[in-house]
Amino acid sequence: MAALRDMLLSIAQTPHRLRRRALVTWTPAQETNEVRERSGAHMKRRLEWYDLVGLGVGGMLGAGVFVTTGRVARDTAGPAVFVSYVIAGVSALLSSLCYAEFAVRVPAAGGAFSYLRVTFGEFVGFFGGANILMEYVLSNAAVARSFTDYLASTFGVKEPNAWRIVVDCIPEGYNALDVPAVVLILLLTACLCYSTKESSMLNMVITVFHLLFFVFIIVVGMWNGSAKNLVQPHGLAPYGVRGVLDGAAIVYFSYIGYDSASTMAEEIRDPARALPVGIAGSVLIVSALYCLMSIALCVMLPYTEISEAAPFSSAFRTKAGWRWASNVVGAGASLGIVASLLVAMLGQARYLCVIARARLVPSWLAKVHPSTGTPMNATIFLGFCTASIALFTELQIVFEMISIGTLLVFYLVANALIYHPYAKLGTSRPLHVLLFLFVLTLSSLGFSLSRKMDGWCRWGMPLFGAISVVITALFHCTARQDFAAPMSEWLVPVMPWPAAASVFLNVFLITTLNTRSYQRFGIWSLVITVFYVCYGVHSTYTAEENEIVNAMIHHANLDIS
């Protein structure tokens, strides 16, 4: 009866607790000290800047080119898929600069969750963290299933489901059981539980070999391909500008890996120097490789003949006498996918660990193993979730749920980078900053939607584009950022322009996604909100009350003694 009474009391107090907790913020010092202590043992600082570059490059390479390029080139953008990668790369670079400054200022393993929580409060932080966590799990499941396709092509197997078990009694789309993908995820989970440094070394070795495969594909593909395939049979951009932009939103999935590098902040020996180099540097390297790889694919074959499942292996196989090259590409792609999975699973576990530190999910997920220095519980739990999705769910179903959550979180982080230094650290009024962010978002949305309306297209895009530039210039001239940053702290140059451009591009890319993506995102957002209202807010409120009571008892005992 007592437990039931407590539960009913908690439900009755939900509005009060929401007012107390939803907008509460933590300082960067609290996030990196007091909150960090809740994990028990600390993560070990053993990584250098080159580890971070390797993790960033390894985390992005496998997922992008080998999973999304073929589908986007054939069905969305045509040979102009490389332009889609340029657009997505610019947006990712701007977002990576925002992440780099926050990672230096708040060197915690929580990535976007920590940045949003210290800026906009507990609920926004949880909303962003839960969305990026879902993106990690789904994208990892998609990449693991593509590993089976490429591994099969390494051994000359053409049928996509040849190494999967098809069960007729399960609905279509979920009935091709992928056992190799599950085995790979479980092996990587065990590796990540053992040691972060050794996992980084394994990633570095795999990434070096993977880069050699990239050079092989770029050189041999361009040497033996034909530039005519870029314009035949229907031109460079057969689906028009809209197809190129829609393709940019889809291939943005390829850049999710750099976010993993920011979650290594607690394990870097010199965060102020290593984080900006590792995060932004890896995005630049990968963007160049993505563009060259997509061009190499499109010069080898007309876009209408590109395979959806394993495009590079199939492209080499269709060339006379290139069957051996197809096997080599399959092996290289398999290695890249292993590296990508390793890094992404490294990042997702640290996200969940820090969310658990905030007591928004069960606190046992926050525990760091004292001997290995890794968040073992979170790693095992998410490994099981990823393996379960990879076992049943086909790639297309997973792809439809990816990108919108990532774009939204990157949009929120860009907003936070403007709000935090100007309103929380500087002397600008919060309402002034929020008004600028609101108008910037509306003008970005107007620019994006006017592209889809034929009557507005001639004047809407330049009008809203000009409004975005003008209001950013006015904010730059009138807002005050009067705080002294430590000499060792890295800051994004010419603020607020890079962050404002990131806001603009992320809004633009979000509007290019299909209706089903919004529907499934809406369902997931509802689940996040309900979970926070039913569990998260009560968990954090109760913990805060207990801490206050314990502190009062401690002070009373000190006074008595």
Side-chain angles (χ1 to χ4, degrees):
M1 290 296 294
L4 179 61
R5 185 175 63 252
D6 291 341
M7 184 179 71
L8 293 176
L9 180 62
S10 296
I11 294 173
Q13 291 183 342
T14 298
H16 167 70
R17 296 184 176 190
L18 281 172
R19 288 193 297 270
R20 284 283 303 272
R21 298 300 308 173
L23 297 179
V24 68
T25 60
W26 291 76
T27 66
Q30 289 174 316
E31 192 74 23
T32 54
N33 294 297
E34 180 181 336
V35 177
R36 185 182 177 188
E37 294 298 327
R38 296 173 186 168
S39 287
H42 287 182
M43 299 181 195
K44 298 179 179 179
R45 292 191 180 274
R46 300 177 60 193
L47 301 181
E48 303 289 350
W49 66 268
Y50 50 82
D51 289 301
L52 212 56
V53 173
L55 289 168
V57 172
M60 287 183 276
L61 283 184
V65 169
F66 295 115
V67 179
T68 59
T69 305
R71 181 176 283 103
V72 172
R74 195 184 70 171
D75 301 330
T76 308
V81 62
F82 72 93
V83 182
S84 297
Y85 272 114
V86 171
I87 296 170
V90 170
S91 182
L93 178 62
L94 293 171
S95 295
S96 72
L97 294 175
C98 299
Y99 266 82
E101 178 172 327
F102 259 127
V104 172
R105 188 177 295 161
V106 190
F113 166 75
S114 296
Y115 312 151
L116 294 175
R117 195 163 81 112
V118 301
T119 305
F120 294 129
E122 184 176 274
F123 174 71
V124 176
F126 179 66
F127 187 83
N131 266 291
I132 201 73
L133 198 56
M134 182 198 71
E135 301 285 314
Y136 266 116
V137 172
L138 291 177
S139 63
N140 289 345
V143 171
R145 285 186 73 93
S146 68
F147 170 80
T148 303
D149 294 330
Y150 272 102
L151 190 64
S153 71
T154 302
F155 295 94
V157 179
K158 299 180 182 180
E159 173 58 37
N161 286 329
W163 286 15
R164 298 188 177 103
I165 302 171
V166 179
V167 181
D168 295 331
C169 62
I170 299 177
E172 186 176 354
Y174 303 91
N175 62 338
L177 306 186
D178 199 327
V179 177
V182 173
V183 172
L184 174 63
I185 291 170
L186 294 179
L187 288 174
L188 292 179
T189 299
C191 177
L192 293 173
C193 287
Y194 175 68
S195 171
T196 301
K197 181 62 176 179
E198 276 65 31
S199 298
S200 173
M201 292 174 63
L202 174 61
N203 168 76
M204 193 71 75
V205 172
I206 295 174
T207 300
V208 168
F209 280 103
H210 191 207
L211 287 173
L212 294 177
F213 282 110
F214 265 62
V215 173
F216 167 80
I217 293 171
I218 292 169
V219 173
V220 177
M222 290 187 176
W223 182 264
N224 291 278
S226 171
K228 293 180 180 179
N229 289 329
L230 290 175
V231 294
Q232 294 178 353
H234 302 114
L236 179 65
Y239 300 99
V241 175
R242 179 172 298 182
V244 173
L245 297 174
D246 290 346
I250 296 172
V251 301
Y252 201 82
F253 153 73
S254 312
Y255 292 93
I256 196 174
Y258 81 78
D259 179 61
S260 296
S262 71
T263 65
M264 299 293 107
E266 290 184 20
E267 296 159 270
I268 295 290
R269 286 179 175 165
D270 185 6
R273 183 171 71 98
L275 285 165
V277 173
I279 296 173
S282 60
V283 171
L284 288 171
I285 294 170
V286 168
S287 296
L289 290 171
Y290 278 165
C291 293
L292 292 174
M293 284 285 287
S294 58
I295 292 172
L297 176 64
C298 291
V299 299
M300 281 193 284
L301 288 176
Y303 77 95
T304 53
E305 299 177 19
I306 294 174
S307 169
E308 183 176 346
F312 289 93
S313 294
S314 299
F316 280 108
R317 189 183 299 119
T318 56
K319 297 288 185 178
W322 283 28
R323 191 172 298 276
W324 63 271
S326 170
N327 297 343
V328 170
V329 172
S334 300
L335 277 177
I337 287 170
V338 171
S340 176
L341 263 179
L342 179 72
V343 177
M345 291 175 67
L346 198 72
Q348 71 180 14
R350 279 142 186 83
Y351 262 113
L352 185 59
C353 173
V354 177
I355 291 173
R357 286 178 186 171
R359 303 188 177 105
L360 291 163
V361 296
S363 58
W364 65 271
L365 290 167
K367 298 303 179 184
V368 172
H369 196 277
S371 61
T372 64
T374 60
M376 188 173 292
N377 293 346
T379 302
I380 294 172
F381 175 77
L382 289 176
F384 175 79
C385 294
T386 305
S388 300
I389 296 172
L391 179 63
F392 293 101
T393 312
E394 287 189 0
L395 279 176
Q396 187 57 39
I397 295 173
V398 176
F399 277 135
E400 288 173 353
M401 299 180 69
I402 293 172
S403 283
I404 186 168
T406 305
L407 290 169
L408 176 68
V409 172
F410 292 166
Y411 160 80
L412 290 174
V413 170
N415 278 272
L417 187 65
I418 295 174
Y419 185 84
H420 194 265
Y422 285 97
K424 293 186 75 70
L425 302 180
T427 57
S428 297
R429 290 182 298 173
L431 184 60
H432 180 197
V433 182
L434 289 173
L435 181 62
F436 163 67
L437 294 174
F438 178 70
V439 176
L440 177 62
T441 299
L442 286 182
S443 62
S444 304
L445 192 60
F447 178 92
S448 306
L449 294 179
S450 65
R451 180 180 64 89
K452 300 184 177 183
M453 302 178 185
D454 295 334
W456 287 18
C457 190
R458 293 183 179 179
W459 61 267
M461 292 178 71
L463 173 64
F464 287 112
I467 291 174
S468 299
V469 173
V470 170
I471 61 172
T472 304
L474 289 174
F475 181 79
H476 188 199
C477 295
T478 58
R480 289 176 291 178
Q481 191 177 354
D482 300 330
F483 72 97
M487 293 298 293
S488 60
E489 189 171 293
W490 186 85
L491 300 175
V492 176
V494 294
M495 278 290 289
W497 291 97
S502 181
V503 169
F504 184 91
L505 286 172
N506 282 308
V507 170
F508 182 80
L509 292 173
I510 287 173
T511 61
T512 65
L513 298 173
N514 59 36
T515 305
R516 187 172 294 182
S517 296
Y518 287 99
Q519 292 171 344
R520 294 186 174 178
F521 170 73
I523 294 171
W524 178 244
S525 298
L526 179 62
V527 171
I528 293 171
T529 304
V530 170
F531 183 88
Y532 177 76
V533 171
C534 294
Y535 177 86
V537 69
H538 300 291
S539 175
T540 57
Y541 181 88
T542 302
E544 180 191 41
E545 293 297 308
N546 290 338
E547 286 179 353
I548 292 173
V549 171
N550 291 335
M552 291 174 63
I553 294 173
H554 177 70
H555 287 304
N557 291 335
L558 290 177
D559 292 339
I560 293 173
S561 60

